[in-house]
Amino acid sequence: SDEEEEVEPKFKYQRIGNDLRNILNTDVVTCSAVHSKFLIFGTFRGRVYLLDHQGNSVESNLSIGDRHTHSVAVNHIDVDPRGEYVATCSDDGRVNITGLFSCENNQSLSYGKFIKSVALDPEVKSGVRRFIVGKLLRHSFLLCIYAYLLYLYVLLGDDKLTLYERNLLQRLKPSELCAVEGSVLSISWQGNFVAWSSHLGVRVYDLSEKCSLGLMKWEVPPQARLENFRCHLRWSNPTTLLIGWVDTIRICVIRRRNAIEASSSNLPGFVVDPVSTFQTSFNICGLAPLAANQLVVLGYRKERSANYKALRPVLCVIEYKMNTCEEVCTDSLTLRGFEEYTVNDYSLGCIIEENRYYIIAPKDIVVASLIETDDRVEWLIKHNKFEEAMEISAHGGSLPLLSVARLYINHLLTLKKYEDAAKLCLRVLGNNKALWEEEVFKFVKCQQLRCVSAYLPTSEECKLDPHVYEMVLYEFLKFDANGFLNLIKEWPPHLYDGLAVINAIHDNFRKQDANELLESLALLYSYQGDYESALRMYLKLQNKDVFELIRRFELYDVISKLIIPLIQLDRERAFKILLDKSKIKPEVVVHQLEQNQEYLYWYLDGLEKTESYGAFHQKLVVLYAKYDRSKLLPFLRRSNDYAMQEALAICKNENFHPEMVYLLGRMGSVVEALNIIIHSIKDIEMAIEFCKEHNDDDLWNMLIEESTKQPDIVTKVLDGIVDYVNPELVVSKIKLGQDIPNLQQSLTKMLWHYNLQEDVMDLAHKIQLTDYFDTHAEVVAMQRRGRNVSYDQLCPTCSRTLFSSETAPHSGLTIFNCGHIYHEACHASTRCGVCLDWDSILAK
């Protein structure tokens, strides 16, 4: 069917014309011989023609007069390997042996019987020619081996293979060689082996041993006779015989018998071994070798057309194994008049060395040449099999691989397989800049630059013109904003003009693709070194990659105007940068954050944790008061770098009483502070602690006065003033009859405390006295100890050694605790003179 995929042909065909056409217009080919130098055809009228391979007539002895023609149809033609002699035979009973270019050894023999086959000796010997003739008798077989000049072998009789040898008197001496069976249908001669077919089968004869190697019987076709089919014999090499008969092919190898086989008596030295036998779906018109285990077979189809006409013949390549075969390819041939031909009207000739096969029909001759590399590539391209064409072209042929690949690219673009075409460009164009640019413009016409973008070369070894990359970017910008962004990320920025692309984005900006286009602008600006614009794009996008950009390029000077947007994007990462004073000065940050007090509070609070800056403490007071009061009082306590009056005003404005108490206390307004504690805070414990902290009598009196006005706090005051104020002051202020809760317990506790305190004081006094006397005893004992005095030590007054011959041993020494030692006679004072001098100097 038309939908079936075409199989790549093995052959290309050419009809032979020229002079052959004129011959076929008036005559019919009945047999032929194919030689590497020429072609020879025998016709129905008995003529023999010599032509070149193009069909042109060649002058030779065959064309001189009617001497070498037959009176009826030529049955068989054979040519010697050198192409010097031609043997023909016919039903007129004649065998003609003609020298093409010399008439010296020409022979014309007449047998009076039908001659169906003739074979010349394939082994060329100087001065010696042999040939075999097959005669068709009614019930007998005549096989003659004729040796002109020296030998003549003749097979005569009805059932004998007879050798005729010329003696010295030129007379024939017959000798029987082998019995034969019936009529000879075909002969093939190779070296010492002759194969012929009869109505029983095929026999191989060994001329050197003068014995038959056996008969291979052939199966008779149903409802037909075996002799009605021409047997096709061909030697593919000196020991391999190819047999094609009816619809069966047999491959036979002639081998020498092994030692065990040869030990048997009366057996020839060689044996015919059929290595493969198989049937075809058609009747065989000829066969020839092609390659290892492959045959070329000309076939005649068994089927008939609707009007019972013959179908077109086929040329089939068969690959054979042991006893099976596989049709590699089959070509149907259209030959002139094929509908009227029978199976025996066709034949197949070949020139094996050139892989040429000649399909010969009565009215037409076609040459099948094994398709060459260029032909294969051409056919594959024609049938859109570009991958196979590229593979073949890569290993030879005149058509370069690159040319095939470019045709393939065009084909893929036609099929709209843009991605495949782009991949192919990457595969075959390599670093050829000119070819890349040429192929890219094909994608431009299809508006499919997006498909090729991932495969464009971007290395220094093959960098295309900038406008090529820009065209790709413009197409992405127009149709695929996300793909455009990916290309900006992937491609090195030096491939294209960044400013031109930036302008194109601005000209084609679309709100629906705003995120992709803004990020693309950010990248392009950073590539151009315009980092501030790049940061602004990232900030518009709320893209946190901005922090990576700042870190990578150290854009700390650039961000001074973008501090607030950075904090809005990511406060943690922004403050990580802002709080590093080595990257950006706090003054710059504070100045920018003045317009956003909350951000300023976060920044100054974070800065305070890392390093205290007194210059910003006044601002912190305001910010703590506004955003986090819990941090205000601790900050007021640890800092001295703020204006207390302003801080107090802020606290008063916000009614921050504890903070006001602290500030008033620092400012000396302790009475006002205590008043706030008592009346506003109403925390008697705090008031007591405040009075303890300042330990001012006026404060205690004020607290006591206030406590007497509030009976429920009297006991708290009594408990808190112990060790600071005489409790009698509080008790004396209590009015008679005044109901004070827990007064008895409080007084009992206070008295117990005083008793306990008195006991503690007595015990402490005793411990102190004991410690004093113990220390005094240690000092006295130490003073009474001896001192080590060296002989070389000098007296500070007389500057002589403390011990000498002039000084009596019993002379005394005066030693001070400071370490200075005098002669008793030199120093009468109770104080050290050296230390006294230093005291006077220091006093001045």
Side-chain angles (χ1 to χ4, degrees), residues 181-300:
E181 310 85 17
S183 304
V184 175
L185 302 178
S186 59
I187 305 173
S188 184
W189 190 354
Q190 174 69 41
N192 290 323
F193 302 109
V194 177
W196 72 86
S197 61
S198 67
H199 71 282
L200 293 182
V202 176
R203 183 178 292 276
V204 180
Y205 186 85
D206 186 350
L207 293 175
S208 61
E209 295 187 6
K210 296 183 176 60
C211 66
S212 172
L213 302 183
L215 173 67
M216 291 176 285
K217 291 188 177 181
W218 219 263
E219 183 179 352
V220 178
Q223 300 179 353
R225 298 178 62 184
L226 193 60
E227 53 266 33
N228 291 340
F229 294 86
R230 183 182 296 172
C231 179
H232 302 276
L233 305 172
R234 188 180 297 275
W235 295 88
S236 63
N237 59 52
T239 59
T240 302
L241 176 64
L242 309 179
I243 307 172
W245 202 355
V246 191
D247 59 357
T248 302
I249 293 177
R250 182 169 292 168
I251 314 297
C252 300
V253 175
I254 299 177
R255 62 177 178 83
R256 188 176 295 276
R257 294 182 184 274
N258 57 41
I260 298 176
E261 293 173 330
S263 63
S264 301
S265 60
N266 301 324
L267 289 177
F270 292 89
V271 64
V272 180
D273 189 4
V275 295
S276 180
T277 302
F278 52 87
Q279 281 191 311
T280 60
S281 59
F282 46 77
N283 292 326
I284 298 163
C285 302
L287 77 168
L290 176 62
N293 297 335
Q294 284 190 343
L295 301 175
V296 177
V297 182
L298 180 63
Y300 184 88

Side-chain angles (χ1 to χ4, degrees), residues 409-689:
I409 293 171
N410 295 339
H411 176 67
L412 291 172
L413 291 175
T414 303
L415 297 178
K416 298 183 179 180
K417 295 182 177 181
Y418 305 113
E419 187 73 20
D420 293 338
K423 291 178 180 178
L424 184 59
C425 288
L426 178 65
R427 209 172 101 198
V428 300
L429 299 183
N431 289 333
N432 193 321
K433 175 182 175 183
L435 286 180
W436 265 110
E437 292 177 353
E438 188 174 341
E439 295 302 322
V440 165
F441 276 100
K442 297 178 182 178
F443 289 85
V444 174
K445 295 178 182 178
C446 307
Q447 289 189 339
Q448 291 296 328
L449 285 171
R450 288 163 289 167
C451 292
V452 78
S453 63
Y455 309 101
L456 288 178
T458 58
S459 64
E460 290 297 330
E461 291 78 11
C462 183
K463 184 172 69 172
L464 308 183
D465 288 340
H467 74 276
V468 174
Y469 301 104
E470 291 167 12
M471 285 192 300
V472 177
L473 289 171
Y474 294 156
E475 185 173 306
F476 269 102
L477 177 61
K478 185 176 180 181
F479 298 106
D480 185 359
N482 190 59
F484 175 80
L485 172 60
N486 291 333
L487 275 191
I488 296 298
K489 290 179 177 180
E490 293 172 7
W491 279 357
H494 63 267
L495 295 178
Y496 50 85
D497 184 351
L499 292 176
V501 178
I502 290 173
N503 293 332
I505 295 176
H506 287 300
D507 294 340
N508 296 274
F509 196 87
R510 301 181 297 275
K511 289 184 178 180
Q512 63 269 27
D513 299 321
N515 291 341
E516 291 82 0
L517 297 180
L518 286 173
E519 187 173 356
S520 300
L521 281 173
L523 290 170
L524 289 168
Y525 278 127
S526 65
Y527 296 154
Q528 298 297 313
D530 187 357
Y531 297 114
E532 184 173 354
S533 298
L535 291 178
R536 292 187 184 279
M537 295 301 108
Y538 278 125
L539 290 172
K540 285 183 180 180
L541 279 170
Q542 292 294 289
N543 190 326
K544 296 185 180 183
D545 287 346
V546 67
F547 296 102
E548 178 62 22
L549 184 67
I550 294 170
R551 184 197 63 78
R552 185 187 307 169
F553 297 103
E554 297 184 352
L555 306 178
Y556 305 114
D557 294 335
V558 178
I559 65 173
S560 59
K561 297 180 181 179
L562 304 172
I563 292 175
I564 291 179
L566 287 173
I567 297 174
Q568 291 172 339
L569 179 60
D570 191 325
R571 187 175 80 181
E572 181 179 351
R573 297 177 70 177
F575 279 126
K576 187 176 181 180
I577 296 173
L578 298 176
L579 292 174
D580 189 346
K581 65 178 182 179
S582 63
K583 296 175 181 176
I584 186 168
K585 295 181 179 179
E587 292 79 8
V588 175
V589 180
V590 170
H591 178 72
Q592 290 295 316
L593 296 181
E594 288 287 359
Q595 52 190 310
N596 191 313
Q597 291 294 296
E598 186 175 11
Y599 292 169
L600 180 61
Y601 156 69
W602 289 337
Y603 173 73
L604 290 179
D605 182 54
L607 188 65
E608 186 67 20
K609 295 175 182 177
T610 58
E611 187 174 352
S612 181
Y613 276 79
F616 307 127
H617 283 193
Q618 187 61 47
K619 295 181 182 295
L620 264 177
V621 172
V622 178
L623 296 172
Y624 280 141
K626 184 175 182 181
Y627 295 105
D628 194 348
R629 180 187 171 186
S630 63
K631 297 180 180 180
L632 178 58
L633 184 57
F635 175 71
L636 293 175
R637 293 181 183 278
R638 68 173 178 269
S639 175
N640 295 315
D641 296 316
Y642 58 87
M644 286 188 288
Q645 197 66 41
E646 295 180 11
L648 181 61
I650 294 171
C651 294
K652 285 183 177 180
N653 187 53
E654 299 293 338
N655 288 322
F656 293 165
H657 296 112
E659 291 79 0
M660 291 170 58
V661 169
Y662 173 74
L663 291 172
L664 289 171
R666 287 193 60 184
M667 296 169 63
S669 301
V670 292
V671 175
E672 183 179 356
L674 182 60
N675 191 46
I676 293 173
I677 295 172
I678 295 173
H679 297 93
S680 298
I681 301 176
K682 298 180 179 180
D683 187 344
I684 192 61
E685 287 82 1
M686 181 178 177
I688 295 171
E689 291 300 322

